[in-house]
Amino acid sequence: EAKKSTLSIGDTYAGGIVFYLDGKGGGLVAAPSDQSTGIQWSSGYSDTGATATGIGRGKANTATIVSKLGAGNYAASLCANLTLGGFKDWFLPSKDELDLMYKNLKKQGLGSFGEGWLWSSSQDYYSLAFTQRFSNGVQYNTDKNNGYAVRAVRAF
């Protein structure tokens, strides 16, 4: 594993692949592979309040979604309950975090990403949440009942 002081985008570190560095020794990693190829954001519609889109907001969004929706098989829960690489603090990325994963990993041929849609943790409307298509980078607000891929992330 890379030393923290010399980390670069694309390095394997802290259980995943580095896709964001904050310039202060911290950052974000993506899980090495998808946690699901087709899972709902939520079953049915409700306003979760998880509307933040910025970098560093995915973790709080995920906690908010899980506290609102409770137990079940859905995108945020899948990430919140994940144990991978010895870490248990994974979350569903925010809209902007997902975009950085696309730009810094997928577009560089890193991370073994597919071409399809991935969920973010950013709700747009009570029935819609933001997704991103990894064939071309387009982001779109999508029906929460649709089944899309999930790639968990964690901060270090």
Side-chain angles (χ1 to χ4, degrees), residues 37-142:
T37 55
I39 192 170
Q40 295 175 319
W41 198 91
S42 64
S43 175
Y45 304 125
S46 66
D47 183 359
T48 63
T51 56
T53 58
I55 305 303
R57 304 299 300 159
K59 189 174 180 75
N61 275 353
T62 301
T64 298
I65 295 162
V66 172
S67 71
K68 178 82 176 184
L69 300 181
N73 190 31
Y74 56 93
S77 174
L78 187 64
C79 297
N81 293 317
L82 181 66
T83 300
L84 183 68
F87 297 97
K88 295 181 177 182
D89 57 352
W90 297 91
F91 55 89
L92 190 61
S94 70
K95 180 177 182 264
D96 294 352
E97 290 166 347
L98 188 61
D99 191 48
L100 280 183
M101 267 186 356
Y102 171 75
K103 290 175 177 165
N104 293 342
L105 296 180
K106 167 64 173 159
K107 280 186 80 176
Q108 313 306 319
L110 303 168
S112 306
F113 287 94
E115 300 292 311
W117 295 91
L118 278 87
W119 284 118
S120 81
S121 60
S122 304
Q123 175 182 293
D124 184 44
Y125 189 61
Y126 79 96
S127 61
L128 304 171
F130 286 105
T131 55
Q132 186 156 1
R133 191 173 187 176
F134 270 48
S135 60
N136 60 9
V138 167
Q139 289 191 314
Y140 191 73
N141 58 355
T142 307

